[in-house]
Amino acid sequence: MPVRSQNNAWVLETQHTAYALGLNPAGLLTHRYWGAKLPYIEDYPAAPAPDGWASFNNPPQRTPEEYPTFHEIKFTEPCLKTTFSDGTRTTVLAFDRAEIVGEELRLHLRDQHYPLTVTLHYRAYPDYDLIERWATLRNTGSDPIQLERVWSAQWHVPEGEPYHLTHLYGHWMGEFQIQRAPLTQGVTVLESRRIHTSHHHSPYFALDRGATETSGEVWFGALAWSGNWKIAAEATDFGSTRINIGLNDWDFGWALRPGEDFVTPTTIAGYTPDGFGAASRTLHDYVRQTILPHGNVIHPMLYNSWEAVFFDVDVESQSRVAEVAASLGVELFVMDDGWFHGRNLDNAGLGDWWPDEKKFPDGLKPLVDRVNALGMDFGIWIEPEMVNPDSDLYRAHPDWVLHFANRERVTGRGQLILNLARKDVQDYLIEKLDKVLSDNPIKFIKWDMNRTVSEPGWPDYEGEAREVWVRYVQGVYRLWQTLRERHPDVLFQSCSGGGGRVDMGILRYADQVWPSDNTRATARLGIQEGFSLAMPALIMEAQVTEMEREVSLTFRFHAAMCGVLGISADITRWSESEREEARRWIALYKQIRPIVQLGDQYRLRSAQFGGGLSGVQYMRKDKREGVLFAFRTYIPDPALPQRLRLQGLNPEARYTVEGFDGVKSGAGWMRQDIVVPLMNFDSIVRRIHQV
Ligand code: GLA
């Protein structure tokens, strides 16, 4: 039973961990414990009741409340801030009752005076050692209640020694950079205010007190939301550390109407004593098994037209490329930007989602048929949330974009953002995209989102206009969900100028993502490493391109084979020997991809911090087979041996590693380095077999 309850105290148990909370003597819902599972229920500490010994250091300041609100003499971060209709701005929650529904614990709280109830949801995932949290607010009265901050949770880690916070930062062309730094007193804020998840920070965190890739305690988590989000990591002046996570409260507003609910996004978090690698593998399994629509299905090897021809697509040129693609072993042919009405450059066409009459006079069908006849599935690129001022859609509905009255509508990449919060906008897009998908046997959608927000206004909305931040994302989700339901065979990719929308919210609808527009293999190694902190290789599209031709085709293939392999290059210009090499790597990839996409990933040496040598290994779940990739970029010293250490083998079983002498036990391999034969800008892929 994953939830154990005793006298208003609860313990959520997973296979190896426990999370305990309960009412303290003052009746406050407080955190008690989060870490390794203990033998007896008595082992978990009681709900803490700090005593007050000075008005400045009073108990509310020092109580680890599970869902603190703005009230009392305390200045640590609250999860909830509201204004009631008479102007009262504090929320005073009292415990009402608890409910256990399967693996979920629901704690119902209500305001002492005002008609607001708050339900805190806790769900244990025993197999993944993860706990999921979210909150539901209900207005049980007759006047609206203004919500100003509603976070999903406050996560408490054990008090005492300070922590390091690990998070991901970056920018367009350089996403998923790993930062691990001491969390000092005060609040560290990571966030997006850009209306999408953003390239700049990811809604992911990890805390440790000296963990490594393979050892040490790590508390980690993420938020499932694809819009404005916030993490406020607070190290209090009393030695406690909290991660607040949820919707961004910046410019947020929501008028909770009588009888209505507001449900926050979910946050997932876990604990492991086995380092960052174990934390990542837990999240990989969780994403594949519980979030993705089809997390056990191998993803196809694709070709994408973008870096070969950009907007210059038509039946003839695409057919010529498709023939070469098919001869290499490509399974899915994706036509990127440029196929729809009036789209010749990035300054026109967005919004008009039907085939361009000049490029495709008979629709997409002739091209799709030719691609299918070559034995490949067909896919297209779309960017539904956008509109170019130069489009039929914008000329007909200039009020459909996010905007403010009397303000210039600032374009980004020549485009404006449609107000997806509006049902009429959603319905238009559903109709148009549904038609494209119904008219043609399309099996793949690349869903892009190429700018961030300005003028987040909705002038003709009659309610609280700042709701647009959340309603926009809800609208995006409705669009994905409706199209998925109507076209269940289609594989969806989430792209936002590369990795601008990679989060556990979109992954309920998207099968895979485009991590970065930067396809230079040497840069991708680091981007892929950061990506792997929270996300599995199954969803990580990786393509061989010509952005970095100075690096060998072999190296570029190896780097892309660490995820879902694809190619985006003018392959009609590849020499016969290049094509032959591509065929070889694609054939090998098809053999190893069940291990890469569905197995366990081990980061052997960091591409971001490893000083020019990096290694990553994938093992089948039963540990019988694996594959090792190693990369050397530039290391000036030619004499230094390049060392890696395998992981994840069964210590007792015996293994061979292709290219290395001998049969050794798993322990034998894992207790000694191997020296990888790499020159600068060299790479290897080696298979590992149990004998
Ligand atoms: C974005 C994507 C690219 C490509 C272009 C098309 O930049 O990240 O992969 O699809 O848009 O305009």
Side-chain angles (χ1 to χ4, degrees):
M1 185 62 201
V3 186
R4 303 212 278 168
S5 146
Q6 203 176 47
N7 305 330
N8 288 336
W10 303 272
V11 182
L12 287 98
E13 286 186 336
T14 65
Q15 253 183 53
H16 308 100
T17 74
Y19 184 102
L21 66 167
L23 296 190
N24 77 359
L28 291 175
L29 184 63
T30 59
H31 184 72
R32 295 164 51 208
Y33 179 87
W34 187 20
K37 184 153 92 179
L38 303 175
Y40 306 107
I41 195 141
E42 300 76 31
D43 290 333
Y44 299 105
D51 52 353
W53 50 273
S55 66
F56 289 106
N57 294 342
N58 58 353
Q61 284 277 90
R62 300 186 299 130
T63 306
E65 285 183 74
E66 281 284 311
Y67 199 75
T69 59
F70 171 61
H71 92 102
E72 259 276 16
I73 308 175
K74 64 183 173 199
F75 299 92
T76 45
E77 289 291 337
C79 286
L80 180 63
K81 180 153 186 327
T82 63
T83 299
F84 295 100
S85 58
D86 63 0
T88 294
R89 300 201 306 279
T90 54
T91 315
V92 186
L93 297 178
F95 177 72
D96 183 5
R97 68 198 160 86
E99 222 185 322
I100 295 170
V101 186
E103 290 169 356
E104 186 188 324
L105 168 68
R106 287 184 199 157
L107 299 176
H108 299 280
L109 315 172
R110 64 170 66 246
D111 189 273
Q112 276 180 357
H113 178 85
Y114 292 92
L116 175 69
T117 64
V118 176
T119 301
L120 303 182
H121 306 259
Y122 295 80
R123 187 174 164 185
Y125 286 88
D127 295 348
Y128 310 111
D129 291 324
L130 294 172
I131 308 286
E132 186 176 40
R133 290 182 60 182
W134 70 102
T136 305
L137 278 73
R138 173 168 295 177
N139 181 344
T140 58
S142 47
D143 295 311
I145 300 169
Q146 184 69 21
L147 309 181
E148 285 147 28
R149 172 187 284 185
V150 202
W151 283 343
S152 300
Q154 184 166 103
W155 294 106
H156 296 264
V157 287
E159 297 190 358
E161 293 300 303
Y163 288 83
H164 277 70
L165 172 67
T166 298
H167 63 95
L168 297 166
Y169 72 97
H171 50 255
W172 178 68
M173 297 286 275
E175 299 87 336
F176 307 110
Q177 304 302 307
I178 301 168
Q179 175 66 270
R180 178 174 175 271
L183 190 63
T184 54
Q185 278 73 10
V187 180
T188 301
V189 171
L190 310 167
E191 64 176 348
S192 166
R193 299 178 179 186
R194 296 167 185 259
I195 214 168
H196 67 153
T197 323
S198 111
H199 307 79
H200 296 255
H201 295 283
S202 295
Y204 161 86
F205 68 88
L207 292 170
D208 76 284
R209 287 161 159 165
T212 67
E213 192 59 26
T214 52
S215 69
E217 293 187 300
V218 184
W219 290 261
F220 56 94
L223 181 75
W225 187 245
S226 314
N228 288 3
W229 58 270
K230 186 162 174 175
I231 289 176
E234 180 161 22
T236 74
D237 308 323
F238 299 97
S240 68
T241 300
R242 296 119 185 242
I243 298 284
N244 298 281
I245 189 164
L247 296 171
N248 203 334
D249 53 348
W250 180 82
D251 198 39
F252 168 81
W254 192 277
L256 187 62
R257 298 186 190 91
E260 287 191 355
D261 283 354
F262 184 87
V263 185
T264 71
T266 61
T267 168
I268 192 86
Y271 160 84
T272 175
D274 298 321
F276 291 101
S280 296
R281 285 186 292 279
T282 298
L283 290 175
H284 296 171
D285 286 341
Y286 165 77
V287 168
R288 283 185 297 217
Q289 301 306 332
T290 72
I291 297 197
L292 291 179
H294 311 288
N296 293 316
V297 179
I298 294 287
H299 289 180
M301 197 265 140
L302 68 77
Y303 174 86
N304 175 291
S305 64
W306 180 244
E307 287 187 33
V309 294
F310 298 102
F311 299 96
D312 213 0
V313 292
D314 61 31
V315 182
E316 275 320 306
S317 70
Q318 290 295 287
S319 300
R320 274 198 304 279
V321 185
E323 272 171 34
V324 181
S327 79
L328 301 182
V330 169
E331 297 160 316
L332 168 66
F333 185 86
V334 182
M335 179 164 60
D336 208 277
D337 202 349
W339 62 268
F340 48 95
H341 180 66
R343 185 68 164 177
N344 297 311
L345 268 180
D346 63 7
N347 59 353
L350 291 172
D352 298 348
W353 297 111
W354 55 90
D356 184 71
E357 294 78 357
K358 289 202 194 81
K359 296 178 186 173
F360 298 96
D362 303 312
L364 298 180
K365 194 82 189 350
L367 176 60
V368 184
D369 287 347
R370 282 171 78 168
V371 167
N372 289 166
L374 290 164
M376 296 182 293
D377 282 333
F378 184 80
I380 51 166
W381 176 97
I382 58 174
E383 194 181 359
E385 296 151 77
M386 300 293 157
V387 67
N388 288 117
D390 183 2
S391 65
D392 290 1
L393 178 66
Y394 189 72
R395 282 182 282 272
H397 297 285
D399 52 329
W400 276 11
V401 297
L402 293 173
H403 67 284
F404 286 126
N406 308 312
R407 293 285 181 225
E408 185 200 343
R409 299 172 182 201
V410 174
T411 54
R413 207 195 190 205
Q415 58 202 51
L416 297 165
I417 305 183
L418 287 170
N419 183 353
L420 261 286
R422 293 175 66 125
K423 185 146 182 314
D424 47 6
V425 173
Q426 296 164 21
D427 290 342
Y428 165 85
L429 291 168
I430 288 170
E431 186 214 310
K432 285 284 178 276
L433 297 171
D434 183 42
K435 180 155 171 31
V436 180
L437 288 169
S438 305
D439 287 351
N440 304 284
I442 287 170
K443 290 285 163 55
F444 182 88
I445 288 286
K446 171 173 175 176
W447 184 306
D448 213 334
M449 202 274 192
N450 271 321
R451 66 159 289 188
T452 49
V453 74
S454 58
E455 305 88 44
W458 184 359
D460 46 357
Y461 183 55
E462 280 164 8
E464 157 61 83
R466 287 172 299 178
E467 289 174 13
V468 71
W469 292 113
V470 170
R471 292 193 185 275
Y472 178 93
V473 179
Q474 290 172 338
V476 171
Y477 287 160
R478 175 173 171 243
L479 217 58
W480 282 81
Q481 183 168 0
T482 310
L483 292 172
R484 273 212 88 105
E485 278 166 11
R486 294 194 192 171
H487 304 280
D489 296 344
V490 176
L491 211 65
F492 283 81
Q493 183 217 98
S494 167
C495 172
S496 180
R501 185 140 67 194
V502 180
D503 62 79
M504 293 188 190
I506 205 66
L507 290 176
R508 296 197 171 115
Y509 311 101
D511 300 277
Q512 56 191 50
V513 303
W514 183 228
S516 181
D517 277 352
N518 188 346
T519 54
R520 289 179 185 88
T522 53
R524 263 298 173 113
L525 294 176
I527 292 170
Q528 293 180 176
E529 177 192 1
F531 183 94
S532 78
L533 250 46
M535 298 293 174
L538 173 65
I539 67 163
M540 185 180 77
E541 278 190 38
Q543 293 172 7
V544 176
T545 74
E546 317 243 275
M547 240 190 217
E548 198 176 30
R549 269 193 77 90
E550 62 272 30
V551 167
S552 72
L553 193 60
T554 306
F555 191 108
R556 285 180 273 151
F557 261 100
H558 288 171
M561 286 161 74
C562 293
V564 178
L565 175 65
I567 299 179
S568 186
D570 189 353
I571 47 179
T572 60
R573 295 210 311 227
W574 281 13
S575 67
E576 193 38 51
S577 75
E578 284 174 316
R579 289 184 197 180
E580 195 40 52
E581 178 170 0
R583 265 179 219 117
R584 266 205 335 270
W585 293 128
I586 291 170
L588 174 64
Y589 179 71
K590 286 178 182 169
Q591 289 171 25
I592 62 174
R593 72 179 157 184
I595 311 173
V596 173
Q597 296 185 11
L598 304 178
D600 287 327
Q601 180 176 349
Y602 297 86
R603 293 178 293 253
L604 306 187
R605 194 176 157 109
S606 169
Q608 292 188 20
F609 309 106
L613 175 71
S614 65
V616 58
Q617 181 193 338
Y618 301 84
M619 290 302 295
R620 234 166 73 172
K621 287 273 170 197
D622 64 8
K623 298 190 180 293
R624 297 185 65 81
E625 227 188 315
V627 55
L628 160 72
F629 290 92
F631 303 89
R632 172 168 167 172
T633 52
Y634 183 69
I635 301 173
D637 186 338
L640 270 189
Q642 303 302 313
R643 297 172 188 283
L644 290 175
R645 178 84 60 102
L646 296 180
Q647 296 178 33
L649 306 175
N650 176 351
E652 264 87 61
R654 287 154 55 82
Y655 292 90
T656 57
V657 181
E658 198 187 338
F660 295 89
D661 287 341
V663 178
K664 289 186 192 147
S665 69
W669 288 109
M670 294 191 294
R671 299 260 172 224
Q672 304 166 61
D673 289 344
I674 52 173
V675 175
V676 285
L678 291 175
M679 306 297 282
N680 280 334
F681 300 103
D682 255 3
S683 60
I684 51 167
V685 52
R686 296 289 158 84
R687 301 184 69 169
I688 301 167
H689 287 284
Q690 221 180 78
V691 292

